């Protein structure tokens, strides 16, 4: 296996299973030997996770795009009276999922929204409860650390009380968005009207104590420094050491189109994106799953990312809107057959799972042969 002499010490650490340091992470961000970096991440992925690649058959439900945050990197949020602003009624939210139920394998919902100027916490809770009541067989993953912090502030409840009410209404796992960069310097410049870094971390910490699994993300490629990228990963690693409740990590490359930063920031390259996937796998040694989020990366890059440490393809999505408003050029949904094909082409084993990574169906080579034989008999 080829690697630059400059990284022999890091390579030795990786093969020995030793934890990488902040300095190691910064050096890896400067690495231009992308093939070596990918091979290191893939080695760790195979050792930790094997060849299974997870995906969800899911539907995204974005209850409203009306939002008080006015984040400079966001193209989804709108003022209440702006063209295109919407807020789903209970009936509209249920109808959206009913439409998605045309897929007989639909297994779950991903519910995230804007911070509506007028809605109370009860408005969000009512919609979540209605979805759970109408579709009790679907798992519910939803709301981010930012939304949950907002719910606590507008309701006067503690974060723990909010989480307990959400759990009672059917929520099974918390979405990973809203972490952006866990640096208050960055957040004060780009999103000063929403949860601080510590508030976001506190939601996850509290959820883990209550037995609710969470996910974590990073939005990179805007005004953050390389040091802030690594520090973000280390904060998540420290939290995971403390609680063990983070299920998967998602890298979001910033899509500048249609945002306030659109004329100031160039979109990251494929190499930048693959580098971040690989470094995330290497630095986050205590988080089992690394997601290649095809909506942001595009399908071809997400498929390549399966060779750079990723073992999670997210899901079928069914009409994602938040990131497409920011200029994502990927499809708004993928069929399950296509996701299975993408994973198999990468030499991996597709596994449909729920929001807590419990396997629903697995598609091994033996399964594929059985399906082919069954089709031939019909």
């Amino acid at each position: 296996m080829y690697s630059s002499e400059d990284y022999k010490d890091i390579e030795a650490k990786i093969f020995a299973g030793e934890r990488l340091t902040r300095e190691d992470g910064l050096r890896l961000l400067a690495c231009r030997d992308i093939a070596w970096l990918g091979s290191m991440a893939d080695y760790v992925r195979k050792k930790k996770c094997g060849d299974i690649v997870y995906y969800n058959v899911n539907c995204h439900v974005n209850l409203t795009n009306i939002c008080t945050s006015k984040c400079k990197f966001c193209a989804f949020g709108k003022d209440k009276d702006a063209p295109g602003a919407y807020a789903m009624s209970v009936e509209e939210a249920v109808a959206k999922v009913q439409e998605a139920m045309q897929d007989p394998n639909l297994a779950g919902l991903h519910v995230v929204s804007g911070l509506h100027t007028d809605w109370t916490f009860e408005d969000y809770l009512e919609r979540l409860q209605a979805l759970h009541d109408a579709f009790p067989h679907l798992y519910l993953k939803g709301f981010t650390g930012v939304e949950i912090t907002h719910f606590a502030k507008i309701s006067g409840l503690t974060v723990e009380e909010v989480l307990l009410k959400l759990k009672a209404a059917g929520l099974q796992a918390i979405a990973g968005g809203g972490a952006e960069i866990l640096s208050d310097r960055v957040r004060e410049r780009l999103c000063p009207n929403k949860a601080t870094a510590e508030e976001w971390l506190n939601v996850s910490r509290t959820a883990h104590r209550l037995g609710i699994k969470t996910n974590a993300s990073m939005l990179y490629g805007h005004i953050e420094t390389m040091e802030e990228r690594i520090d973000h990963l280390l904060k998540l690693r420290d939290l995971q050491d403390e609680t063990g409740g983070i299920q998967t990590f998602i890298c979001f490359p910033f899509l500048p189109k249609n945002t306030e930063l659109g004329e100031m920031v160039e979109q990251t390259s494929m190499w930048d994106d693959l580098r971040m996937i690989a470094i995330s796998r290497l630095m986050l040694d205590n988080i089992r799953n690394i997601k290649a989020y095809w909506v942001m990366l595009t399908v071809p890059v997400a498929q390549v990312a399966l060779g750079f440490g990723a073992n999670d393809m997210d899901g079928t999505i069914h009409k994602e809107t938040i990131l497409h408003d920011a200029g994502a050029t990927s499809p708004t949904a993928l069929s399950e057959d296509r996701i299975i094909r993408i994973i198999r082409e990468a030499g991996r084993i597709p596994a449909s799972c729920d929001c807590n990574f419990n396997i629903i169906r697995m598609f091994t080579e033996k399964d594929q042969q059985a399906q082919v034989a069954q089709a031939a008999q019909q």
Side-chain angles (χ1 to χ4, degrees), residues 317-341:
I317 303 294
H318 189 76
K319 297 185 179 179
E320 193 283 333
T321 57
I322 292 177
L323 302 175
H324 284 85
D325 284 350
T329 58
S330 55
T332 57
L334 289 181
S335 69
E336 185 177 15
D337 286 345
R338 188 174 179 193
I339 288 182
I340 291 171
R341 185 170 70 251

Side-chain angles (χ1 to χ4, degrees), residues 12-277:
K13 281 187 175 182
I14 292 169
F15 286 144
E18 295 179 15
R19 173 162 280 187
L20 300 187
T21 65
R22 183 176 189 268
E23 180 186 18
D24 294 333
L26 290 171
R27 286 171 61 196
L28 289 174
L29 277 173
C31 178
R32 291 298 176 264
D33 190 345
I34 196 73
W36 172 80
L37 192 58
S39 70
M40 292 294 98
D42 197 52
Y43 166 80
V44 173
R45 183 275 312 163
K46 188 172 182 64
K47 186 176 180 181
K48 182 182 292 289
C49 309
D51 287 334
I52 291 175
V53 173
Y54 297 98
Y55 71 91
N56 306 127
V57 181
N58 62 348
C59 172
H60 278 214
V61 183
N62 307 129
L63 297 172
T64 180
N65 63 352
I66 297 170
C67 190
T68 63
S69 281
K70 302 186 186 302
C71 304
K72 292 182 180 179
F73 50 75
C74 181
F76 174 73
K78 293 184 180 295
D79 291 332
K80 185 178 178 179
D81 56 355
Y86 74 89
M88 290 185 188
S89 65
V90 170
E91 293 75 18
E92 287 170 335
V94 170
K96 177 179 175 62
V97 178
Q98 191 63 56
E99 177 189 351
M101 288 294 294
Q102 295 174 16
D103 184 342
N105 294 322
L106 185 70
L109 305 178
H110 180 105
V111 183
V112 292
S113 306
L115 311 183
H116 196 290
T117 52
D118 300 328
W119 278 7
T120 66
F121 172 46
E122 292 299 325
D123 289 315
Y124 290 93
L125 195 63
E126 180 185 18
R127 285 154 179 78
L128 183 72
Q129 185 71 64
L131 291 173
H132 180 57
D133 290 345
F135 311 101
H137 63 293
L138 299 181
Y139 66 74
L140 275 174
K141 176 175 72 174
F143 304 121
T144 65
V146 166
E147 289 169 276
I148 291 164
T149 299
H150 175 71
F151 297 160
K153 289 179 179 178
I154 62 175
S155 67
L157 300 172
T158 66
V159 166
E160 179 173 337
E161 289 168 334
V162 166
L163 288 168
L164 287 172
K165 285 180 176 290
L166 292 172
K167 186 176 182 180
L171 193 70
Q172 294 169 263
I174 293 173
E180 323 308 0
I181 292 289
L182 292 171
S183 156
D184 285 332
R185 181 196 74 85
V186 172
R187 299 177 87 83
E188 285 168 7
R189 289 185 59 186
L190 297 186
C191 50
N193 301 318
K194 69 181 187 183
T196 64
E198 184 51 41
E199 286 174 330
W200 189 95
L201 290 166
N202 180 59
V203 169
S204 290
R205 185 178 292 110
T206 306
H208 299 163
R209 181 162 47 80
L210 297 175
I212 304 170
K213 298 291 187 180
T214 71
N215 303 283
S217 64
M218 176 171 69
L219 181 72
Y220 65 92
H222 40 85
I223 68 167
E224 84 286 356
T225 64
M226 295 301 104
E227 289 80 5
E228 285 167 331
R229 288 192 194 184
I230 296 300
D231 288 341
H232 178 103
L233 296 178
L234 293 178
K235 287 177 182 178
L236 294 177
R237 193 170 77 178
D238 288 346
L239 176 64
Q240 187 74 340
D241 279 345
E242 177 187 342
T243 67
I246 301 174
Q247 301 191 106
T248 195
F249 174 73
I250 314 106
C251 281
F252 293 131
F254 173 56
L255 302 179
K257 186 177 179 181
N258 301 328
T259 72
E260 286 190 41
L261 301 180
E263 296 182 1
M264 300 167 47
V265 178
E266 290 187 9
Q267 187 170 333
T268 58
S269 71
M270 176 183 73
W271 298 118
D272 291 330
D273 298 337
L274 292 174
R275 183 178 295 109
M276 279 310 310
I277 292 280

Side-chain angles (χ1 to χ4, degrees), residues 285-343:
D285 54 25
N286 54 3
I287 296 179
R288 177 178 174 81
N289 304 302
I290 303 294
K291 188 187 297 289
Y293 192 40
W294 60 263
V295 174
M296 297 288 272
L297 296 172
T298 73
V299 173
V301 176
Q303 186 179 39
V304 175
L306 296 179
F308 281 72
N311 70 318
D312 175 4
M313 278 286 291
D314 195 78
T316 55
I317 303 294
H318 189 76
K319 297 185 179 179
E320 193 283 333
T321 57
I322 292 177
L323 302 175
H324 284 85
D325 284 350
T329 58
S330 55
T332 57
L334 289 181
S335 69
E336 185 177 15
D337 286 345
R338 188 174 179 193
I339 288 182
I340 291 171
R341 185 170 70 251
I342 289 166
I343 295 170

